Amino acid sequence: MNTFKYILIASCIAVPLSMTSCKKFLDKPLENQQRSEEIDYSNPALMYSPVSGVYRSAADDNLVHWIDLSIRCMRDDDYLQAAPSPNDNPELMAIKNFQNDVTVQSYWGLNQSWISYYSLVIAANNALIELDNFAAKIPAGNSKDLNLNKQYKAEVRFLRAYAHLMASRLFGNVPILIDSENIGRLATIEKSTAAQVRQFIISEMNECIEALEDARPNQSIHIGAVTKYTALLLKAKAAADLAGNDNSSPHWEEVLDATNKIIASNKFSLYPNLYELFKLPGKLANESLFELQYSDFGVGTGDIVRPGVDWGTFFRWQGPSGDQKGSPISGAGWVPPSQNIVDFLTNRGDNERLKNTIQYCGINGNPATSVTTPSGDVVYGNPFGIKYFNGKAYLPKAQMTEGRMEYGANNNVRILRYADVLLLNAEAKVRKGQNGDEPFRLVRERAKLGAIANVTLNQILDERRAEFACEWWGERFNDLVRTGKAKEVFGAKFIPGVSESLPIPQTQIDANPNFR
């Protein structure tokens, strides 16, 4: 029996909804599905529909909402500030300065982050109910469809677990939501500790791994779907969080075992051209273990796509601001890279990653000047003096579909990569007294950096910062927290035991006092 606590909850999270509005929410059909009373559950050809709906839910703001993106980025020292002007969003600047006061707790954006993560959890829970309905109609002797049903449930459970990881990394102690019934418990559900959330994720992945496809996501029957290797990486990340900075923790063995299995599969490799990895040529590359898929009806990729999405909620949010004189290389100018990360990459001679991660807004942000990107796009400065924009969110004009010149249109959002597998594997080995040089070498080699013999833990952590710089998911901040280095980096404004997480939104506490 699992030792952590599963918490049964209602189908609506603790948002300020009346029971009537909660029921109306439940009355909405799932994405890509007919209403339950109209579905022929005896038809296995329809069984993937609720799964596709959860992927769509993940890609349709629940993992890429612009304000959640901004909140996650603000806690990293890789970003300068939230808005082009520091005065544009004082709540986000308070988050950057670890001022977890009443203003932050009442901030609408923080509540939106909570809603985004738990909306994805709710979508997953509802899809699992639908898949149970299909399973009930499959004859006992039909092992093919029964196994397929288990696989689809495992894909959904991965997405649910990933949403829990993101919620806990942001808010710390959060509820584990595994039941979409029992509306009466809406106001009484309790939080689980951050450690219990990680244990939940590990247990879920242990149950899901064997049910998932033994393939890369780009080899999946539904191209881009979660596979057993995606689940293994999520397990490794949760275990690393639990292990923290304790080299003797048994969780490092879990990290090592999970990453060894991914490496030993020989199915994954680093995309050779780092500059193109986050652009169209790198979509669903052999490096990808999980990415959110999009299509502009031009050059679609994969089966799990979100057509017609407004990329302004993710890519354009990070594009260069100011008068770009009609160029599609433009955006809101939020969450620009910091001088700190530019100097870090420059000082270590990390030219390939610098070219991939950092793009320039004119000369030192001067609106009277312009620069040309390596892809040939001209970018002008801006009235705010912002020097940089995120190169990992930059899509060159030459890669856009003719007639659809929206910044970032048709690009995917990368979430889990093989580089993470290799660096976690190297870290686990070094922490266990083993040699981590080989997986570490592969990551540096792709970045055109020389090998290092007898690599140390600090060198691995520096490599993680360089490799995942400005990638939106808060890896840098999480690494600083789990290794106990946050105070060293952020100074007096970071208070150990307090600053690791943001307060649960006041709106959620008002709905459920157990969240205090």
Side-chain angles (χ1 to χ4, degrees):
M1 180 178 294
N2 296 324
T3 58
F4 56 83
K5 176 171 57 179
Y6 284 92
I7 300 175
L8 302 179
I9 66 151
S11 295
C12 285
I13 54 178
V15 292
L17 298 173
S18 67
M19 286 300 174
T20 299
S21 60
C22 183
K23 290 176 181 177
K24 287 181 179 178
F25 176 85
L26 293 175
D27 285 342
K28 294 180 180 180
L30 297 178
E31 295 275 12
N32 298 340
Q33 272 189 249
Q34 298 167 282
R35 295 176 63 89
S36 296
E37 59 268 24
E38 300 170 351
I39 297 173
D40 180 4
Y41 291 111
S42 64
N43 183 357
L46 302 176
M47 194 161 54
Y48 200 70
S49 182
V51 186
S52 179
V54 183
Y55 282 109
R56 179 169 175 170
S57 178
D60 196 9
D61 265 7
N62 287 333
L63 289 181
V64 290
H65 195 285
W66 62 268
I67 197 61
D68 184 49
L69 159 71
S70 301
I71 289 170
R72 287 196 306 265
C73 290
M74 278 307 88
R75 300 195 301 169
D76 282 359
D77 54 342
D78 290 354
Y79 294 93
L80 175 62
Q81 58 198 31
S85 169
N87 298 322
D88 282 356
N89 202 311
E91 293 90 349
L92 284 173
M93 293 309 295
I95 289 172
K96 186 166 187 62
N97 291 316
F98 302 102
Q99 298 167 343
N100 294 344
D101 54 15
V102 173
T103 300
V104 169
Q105 194 161 26
S106 301
Y107 180 40
W108 73 268
L110 201 62
N111 193 51
Q112 179 58 55
S113 289
W114 179 281
I115 291 172
S116 292
Y117 297 139
Y118 284 106
S119 291
L120 179 55
V121 171
I122 289 169
N125 288 339
N126 288 340
L128 289 171
I129 292 172
E130 296 297 296
L131 289 169
D132 280 342
N133 291 336
F134 279 104
K137 297 289 186 179
I138 299 174
N142 186 348
S143 58
K144 177 183 176 181
D145 285 339
L146 286 172
N147 288 335
L148 204 56
N149 185 271
K150 290 178 182 178
Q151 175 192 316
Y152 292 168
K153 286 178 179 176
E155 291 182 44
V156 171
R157 289 167 72 180
F158 168 88
L159 292 165
R160 182 176 67 179
Y162 184 77
H164 278 92
L165 179 71
M166 296 302 292
S168 185
R169 282 187 170 184
L170 195 62
F171 296 108
N173 300 336
V174 296
I176 297 174
L177 313 185
I178 63 167
D179 188 5
S180 284
E181 297 176 339
N182 302 317
I183 287 180
R185 294 182 62 86
L186 178 62
T188 61
I189 183 174
E190 298 177 355
K191 294 183 292 185
S192 292
T193 66
Q196 286 173 325
V197 173
R198 301 310 189 279
Q199 291 281 15
F200 161 73
I201 292 168
I202 291 170
S203 179
E204 282 286 279
M205 295 306 95
N206 282 339
E207 292 186 18
C208 291
I209 286 166
E210 293 308 314
L212 290 164
E213 287 180 273
D214 186 356
R216 282 193 311 269
N218 65 10
Q219 296 173 319
S220 171
I221 295 173
H222 298 95
I223 297 175
V226 167
T227 72
K228 67 181 296 182
Y229 303 104
T230 320
L232 281 166
L233 178 51
L234 181 58
K235 174 185 175 179
K237 293 176 80 66
D241 283 0
L242 279 175
N245 207 34
D246 180 4
N247 290 355
S248 65
S249 170
H251 294 296
W252 285 117
E253 185 60 43
E254 291 182 292
V255 176
L256 186 59
D257 177 69
T259 54
N260 274 341
K261 286 176 178 176
I262 300 171
I263 294 169
S265 74
N266 292 317
K267 294 181 183 295
F268 296 88
S269 59
L270 297 175
Y271 190 74
N273 188 329
L274 188 59
Y275 179 73
E276 295 290 352
L277 173 62
F278 288 84
K279 300 174 180 61
L280 294 196
K283 288 176 71 170
L284 288 175
N286 290 352
E287 180 169 350
S288 175
L289 279 91
F290 180 45
E291 60 190 67
L292 300 178
Q293 297 185 68
Y294 299 88
S295 172
D296 65 356
F297 300 103
V299 184
T301 300
D303 295 333
I304 310 160
V305 298
R306 172 63 170 104
V309 74
D310 178 8
W311 288 274
T313 60
F314 186 83
F315 290 106
R316 282 207 305 271
W317 193 244
Q318 303 177 72
S321 64
D323 181 7
Q324 297 303 323
K325 307 186 186 307
S327 169
I329 313 303
S330 63
W334 282 54
V335 291
S338 66
Q339 189 64 46
N340 190 310
I341 187 60
V342 173
D343 291 344
F344 175 76
L345 294 172
T346 301
N347 292 340
R348 52 187 268 131
D350 212 331
N351 298 325
E352 289 298 305
R353 290 198 181 105
L354 188 67
K355 185 174 78 170
N356 179 37
T357 307
I358 307 299
Q359 290 298 331
Y360 299 85
C361 301
I363 300 173
N364 293 323
N366 186 337
T369 65
S370 67
V371 295
T372 302
T373 71
S375 300
D377 291 315
V378 176
V379 181
Y380 294 87
N382 54 82
F384 311 103
I386 298 297
K387 298 179 183 180
Y388 315 112
F389 67 101
N390 193 342
K392 290 180 176 177
Y394 161 58
L395 184 68
K397 179 180 178 181
Q399 294 184 15
M400 296 180 184
T401 303
E402 186 176 355
R404 296 185 182 276
M405 296 293 182
E406 294 182 74
Y407 190 67
N410 191 33
N411 204 0
N412 289 353
V413 177
R414 281 59 163 180
I415 296 182
L416 297 176
R417 305 196 278 117
Y418 188 51
D420 203 359
V421 175
L422 293 170
L423 290 175
L424 280 174
N425 185 263
E427 182 177 351
K429 285 178 175 175
V430 169
R431 286 186 180 275
K432 289 177 62 63
Q434 302 174 20
N435 186 289
D437 289 0
E438 180 58 17
F440 184 76
R441 178 191 67 80
L442 291 171
V443 177
R444 284 179 62 84
E445 184 176 73
R446 194 261 299 273
K448 299 184 179 179
L449 297 172
I452 296 176
N454 298 314
V455 62
T456 66
L457 178 60
N458 283 336
Q459 288 169 330
I460 292 170
L461 294 175
D462 276 352
E463 206 68 33
R464 285 186 63 82
R465 184 189 184 187
E467 179 67 25
F468 304 119
C470 301
E471 283 189 35
W472 322 289
W473 309 113
E475 286 300 318
R476 163 68 173 169
F477 181 77
N478 191 71
D479 283 349
L480 291 173
V481 167
R482 71 178 176 84
T483 58
K485 293 179 178 291
K487 178 73 173 178
E488 173 187 328
V489 170
F490 297 115
K493 63 183 180 180
F494 186 92
I495 303 173
V498 175
S499 301
E500 291 86 350
S501 59
L502 290 169
I504 289 180
Q506 187 62 48
T507 300
Q508 305 302 323
I509 293 173
D510 291 343
N512 184 347
N514 289 328
F515 291 162
R516 292 186 188 279

